[in-house]
């Protein structure tokens, strides 16, 4: 057959994901902070969008919107989670009715989404913000705890103040400044000495000499490279670093194992002296840097709340404080549209309107999907909320996906980086998905978390004179109807940071 160029027609099917659909997929797995950052970025790029404020609790959402429109003189339209505010005007100009579900053949039921009132929703998708009152009274100024903590002296500031008070060669000060920047929040030096010497083009002895100066700074113990060195610095300052103490600090792993006989041999001391030495170590500070303020710890903000209704049913709602509220300024769009002079300006305005409408639909779909998944999750784990962790059921993504007619990857994205506030505390949604452990009785299974809880309970209640081995734990668990292997018990025990039976025996029966 001759090889000649020719034209052929072929028909095939392929899935093409638009950039907007790809972004909608990413929106599902965003945390509440990431979502707010994304929306703020979209508002900055789109002149038709504005960030709204949280509604006044004393008003209905509709009244609040009317008051805001009268106050600002704008015919702005609130983009909220409720169908009442997703009007036809808001959705005009949408270029595509493609469902925003995240996977092929995973079609979100738009009819259900648009016809059912979301009674479980809060008032609106909103970002709550607090502003200072316009009055001149100092009573209106509210300085939060985070602000006061953020203004406290940090470890780095404290060390730099001491550096400025001493006289050193310029090169030594530069090295010391670098060492200060290499400390972690506990005051330990995290970078290798050889790398620092290579960076400054000098010998390791030079770095060690400057490091010795740095280790005299307050608080005593900073610039140590490990726990042993940190405690040695503090004991040296107290003039208590004798050979016996140094031997003890060089073998802290034996102290952690409660191997006192080995320590007495290494330190060449008797029981009474070893007891006194351990008492001295316990009075030291293993984390000297923690005495100073550092980064403010960010508290976990739940995305979903659940509570029990008077009828005994679990009620699920979204946390409106974590959902950004966007305003679409229709009046500004109308004015700018009338003044558009050429094709480029009209096309840009159309793109902005399409982008704004997409953001409205994407935020609404995201909220509905999270609510749908979390509601099914609560239904599946209702016994856990009623009775406790021992009744946590084995659960996987497929079970939730089949129950709500969605794809597993959609459920996985929805539960990623999301937290749910329950009557038993705040949990990450992924916490409720656990593997199944078979039972001695047919048909019954136990979740891995429930088994871990049983192991921890048995160890907490064990007799110090009869420490439970892993084999004994297997027997006791089988007596409770849990069929589990010894290596699985050992794996779960290590995951709970529980020492072995030998180490527990030394800890609980230590007589020093």
């Amino acid at each position: 057959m001759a090889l000649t160029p020719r034209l052929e027609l072929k028909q095939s099917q392929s899935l093409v994901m638009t950039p907007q659909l790809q972004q909608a997929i990413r929106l599902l797995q965003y945390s509440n902070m990431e979502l707010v950052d994304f929306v703020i970025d979209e508002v900055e790029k789109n002149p038709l969008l504005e960030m709204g404020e949280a509604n006044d609790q004393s008003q209905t959402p509709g009244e609040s919107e009317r008051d805001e429109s009268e106050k600002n003189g704008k015919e702005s339209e609130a983009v909220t989670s409720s169908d009442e505010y997703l009007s036809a005007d808001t959705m005009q100009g949408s270029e595509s009715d493609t469902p925003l579900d995240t996977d092929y053949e995973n079609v979100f039921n738009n009819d259900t989404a648009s016809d059912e009132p979301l009674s479980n929703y809060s008032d609106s998708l909103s970002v709550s913000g607090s502003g200072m009152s316009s009055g001149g009274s100092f009573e209106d100024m509210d300085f939060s705890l985070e602000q006061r903590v953020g203004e406290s002296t940090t470890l780095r500031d404290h060390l730099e103040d001491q550096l400025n008070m001493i006289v050193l060669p310029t090169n030594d000060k530069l090295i010391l400044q670098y060492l200060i920047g290499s400390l972690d929040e506990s005051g330990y030096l995290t970078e290798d000495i050889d790398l620092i010497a290579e960076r400054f083009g000098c010998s390791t002895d030079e770095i060690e000499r400057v490091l010795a100066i740095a280790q005299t700074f307050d608080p005593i113990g900073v610039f140590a490279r490990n726990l042993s060195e940190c405690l040695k610095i503090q004991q040296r300052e107290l003039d208590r670093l004798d050979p016996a103490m140094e031997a003890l600090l060089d073998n802290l792993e034996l102290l952690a194992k409660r191997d006192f006989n080995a320590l007495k041999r290494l330190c060449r001391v008797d029981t009474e002296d070893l007891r006194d030495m351990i008492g001295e170590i316990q009075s030291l500070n293993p984390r000297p840097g923690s005495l100073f303020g550092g980064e403010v710890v960010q508290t976990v903000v739940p995305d979903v709340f659940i509570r029990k209704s008077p009828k005994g049913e679990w009620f699920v709602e979204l946390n409106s404080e974590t959902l950004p509220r966007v305003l679409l300024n229709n009046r500004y769009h109308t004015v700018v549209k009338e003044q558009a002079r050429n094709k480029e300006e009209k096309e840009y305005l159309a793109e902005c309107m399409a982008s704004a409408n997409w953001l409205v639909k994407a935020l609404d779909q995201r909220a509905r999907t999270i609510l749908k998944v979390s509601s099914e999750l609560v239904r599946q784990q209702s016994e856990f909320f009623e009775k406790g962790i021992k009744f946590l059921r084995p659960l996987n993504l497929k079970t939730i996906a089949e129950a709500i007619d969605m794809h597993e990857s959609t459920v996985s994205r929805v539960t990623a980086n999301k937290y749910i506030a329950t009557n038993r505390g705040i949990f990450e949604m992924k916490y409720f998905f656990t593997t199944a452990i078979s039972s001695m009785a047919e048909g019954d299974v136990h979740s891995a978390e429930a088994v871990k809880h049983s192991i921890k309970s048995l160890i907490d209640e064990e007799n110090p004179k009869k420490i439970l081995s892993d084999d004994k734990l297997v027997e006791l668990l089988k007596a409770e109807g849990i069929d589990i292997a010894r290596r699985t018990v050992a794996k779960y025990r290590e995951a709970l940071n529980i020492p072995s039976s030998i180490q527990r025996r030394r800890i609980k029966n230590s007589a020093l």
Side-chain angles (χ1 to χ4, degrees):
M1 182 176 179
L3 296 176
T4 58
R6 58 183 178 181
L7 296 176
E8 291 184 353
L9 293 178
K10 290 185 178 180
Q11 186 176 7
S12 62
Q13 291 182 341
S14 62
L15 176 63
V16 179
M17 297 182 66
T18 64
Q20 287 187 339
L21 183 56
Q22 294 177 18
Q23 186 61 65
I25 293 174
R26 286 192 290 269
L27 278 182
L28 274 180
Q29 59 190 24
Y30 279 173
S31 65
N32 47 33
M33 296 301 297
E34 291 171 335
L35 180 66
V36 171
D37 291 339
F38 170 78
V39 171
I40 291 175
D41 185 58
E42 288 294 313
V43 170
E44 290 176 351
K45 294 188 295 185
N46 195 330
L48 301 182
L49 292 175
E50 300 174 1
M51 291 297 294
E53 297 181 357
N55 289 330
D56 190 344
Q57 298 298 324
S58 62
Q59 295 176 310
T60 64
E63 291 174 350
S64 178
E65 290 302 322
R66 287 194 294 272
D67 292 344
E68 185 175 348
S69 297
E70 294 174 1
K71 179 179 179 181
N72 297 332
K74 298 179 180 180
E75 296 177 0
S76 298
E77 193 165 44
V79 177
T80 68
S81 60
S82 175
D83 291 331
E84 182 180 358
Y85 307 109
L86 293 174
S87 62
D89 293 336
T90 306
M91 301 307 297
Q92 68 181 358
S94 177
E95 295 180 353
S96 174
D97 294 327
T98 304
L100 291 180
D101 203 354
T102 62
D103 296 279
Y104 184 55
E105 296 181 350
N106 179 17
V107 181
F108 187 83
N109 192 337
N110 286 322
D111 295 334
T112 304
S114 59
D115 294 336
E116 291 183 359
L118 297 180
S119 58
N120 289 345
Y121 268 33
S122 298
D123 290 343
S124 65
L125 290 169
S126 62
V127 177
S128 63
S130 58
M132 188 179 297
S133 174
S134 59
S137 173
F138 285 104
E139 295 178 354
D140 295 331
M141 294 186 178
D142 180 22
F143 296 101
S144 65
L145 175 62
E146 289 81 0
Q147 289 175 320
R148 292 195 294 270
V149 172
E151 294 172 357
S152 62
T153 302
T154 64
L155 174 63
R156 182 168 184 170
D157 293 336
H158 182 67
L159 295 174
E160 287 179 346
D161 289 341
Q162 297 176 71
L163 176 60
N164 295 330
M165 296 293 292
I166 62 175
V167 179
L168 287 174
T170 303
N171 192 49
D172 288 359
K173 280 203 170 186
L174 289 175
I175 295 174
L176 242 172
Q177 183 73 43
Y178 184 84
L179 294 177
I180 291 174
S182 300
L183 297 180
D184 63 12
E185 60 182 9
S186 298
Y188 286 85
L189 184 62
T190 57
E191 192 165 345
D192 188 75
I193 294 296
D194 293 334
L195 294 177
I196 299 176
E198 183 180 349
R199 186 181 297 274
F200 281 91
C202 61
S203 64
T204 55
D205 292 337
E206 186 73 11
I207 302 299
E208 292 280 2
R209 182 182 61 80
V210 177
L211 179 60
I213 298 174
Q215 290 178 347
T216 62
F217 282 19
D218 178 74
I220 300 300
V222 291
F223 295 100
R225 285 160 285 187
N226 50 58
L227 176 60
S228 176
E229 186 177 20
C230 177
L231 299 179
K232 284 181 180 179
I233 294 171
Q234 296 179 55
Q235 286 293 78
R236 185 182 296 114
E237 179 68 17
L238 298 172
D239 196 21
R240 297 290 299 167
L241 189 62
D242 52 29
M245 178 62 71
E246 192 165 3
L248 176 59
L249 295 178
D250 285 335
N251 296 276
L252 290 176
E253 68 280 358
L254 294 177
L255 180 59
K257 295 177 182 178
R258 299 297 197 274
D259 193 350
F260 301 122
N261 291 328
L263 285 174
K264 285 189 288 186
R265 288 194 303 269
L266 289 170
C267 300
R268 297 181 180 180
V269 295
D270 57 17
T271 301
E272 185 177 353
D273 289 337
L274 183 59
R275 183 187 298 114
D276 294 339
M277 292 165 64
I278 293 175
E280 289 183 27
I281 292 177
Q282 291 174 339
S283 66
L284 303 178
N285 185 2
R287 301 177 66 234
S290 61
L291 298 173
F292 296 85
E295 295 182 1
V296 178
V297 177
Q298 298 294 331
T299 57
V300 173
V301 179
D303 300 85
V304 179
F305 293 107
I306 71 165
R307 57 183 176 84
K308 203 168 187 180
S309 66
K311 296 182 180 180
E313 298 177 350
W314 292 104
F315 181 78
V316 183
E317 66 175 346
L318 295 178
N319 182 4
S320 62
E321 297 299 322
T322 66
L323 300 174
R325 182 167 172 264
V326 183
L327 298 177
L328 175 60
N329 196 334
N330 280 331
R331 180 178 180 182
Y332 180 71
H333 172 258
T334 303
V335 172
V336 176
K337 186 177 181 180
E338 292 175 351
Q339 296 179 356
R341 294 168 294 182
N342 51 50
K343 182 180 178 181
E344 288 76 11
E345 293 180 356
K346 292 180 180 179
E347 289 179 350
Y348 173 72
L349 191 60
E351 290 176 1
C352 290
M353 177 57 76
S355 177
N357 287 329
W358 169 83
L359 183 60
V360 171
K361 190 174 182 181
L363 289 176
D364 180 68
Q365 179 104 25
R366 178 184 182 274
R368 293 177 186 276
T369 307
I370 293 175
L371 188 62
K372 196 171 184 179
V373 171
S374 56
S375 297
E376 180 62 25
L377 187 63
V378 171
R379 190 185 72 81
Q380 293 280 352
Q381 298 289 6
S382 58
E383 285 193 68
F384 165 79
F385 303 115
E386 294 279 359
K387 303 176 183 178
I389 191 172
K390 293 194 70 173
F391 294 87
L392 187 66
R393 293 180 52 193
L395 186 64
N396 54 32
L397 298 173
K398 185 177 180 181
T399 304
I400 297 291
E402 290 178 349
I404 61 178
D405 195 23
M406 283 189 177
H407 197 274
E408 289 180 48
S409 60
T410 304
V411 179
S412 177
R413 293 186 181 99
V414 168
T415 53
N417 305 314
K418 309 293 189 308
Y419 292 86
I420 181 169
T422 74
N423 59 320
R424 299 189 178 277
I426 298 178
F427 298 90
E428 189 177 9
M429 286 191 181
K430 291 287 187 182
Y431 173 82
F432 297 99
F433 295 92
T434 61
T435 56
I437 303 297
S438 59
S439 174
M440 303 299 291
E442 293 186 5
D444 296 333
V445 291
H446 303 272
S447 71
E449 289 296 330
V451 174
K452 287 181 183 179
H453 177 74
S454 298
I455 293 173
K456 187 177 185 304
S457 299
L458 289 172
I459 292 176
D460 289 342
E461 297 171 0
E462 68 184 355
N463 188 336
K465 296 182 179 180
K466 295 181 180 180
I467 300 298
L468 301 175
S469 65
D470 291 344
D471 290 325
K472 187 61 177 178
L473 288 172
V474 171
E475 294 179 11
L476 294 174
L477 290 172
K478 286 185 177 180
E480 294 181 5
I482 301 173
D483 186 12
I484 189 171
R486 179 187 179 279
R487 59 180 175 272
T488 306
V489 170
K491 182 179 71 173
Y492 287 172
R493 175 179 54 73
E494 291 172 359
L496 294 169
N497 294 320
I498 298 175
S500 65
S501 58
I502 296 175
Q503 293 174 327
R504 297 201 309 276
R505 184 177 295 108
R506 289 174 178 171
I507 293 172
K508 295 185 177 183
N509 296 325
S510 60
L512 269 178

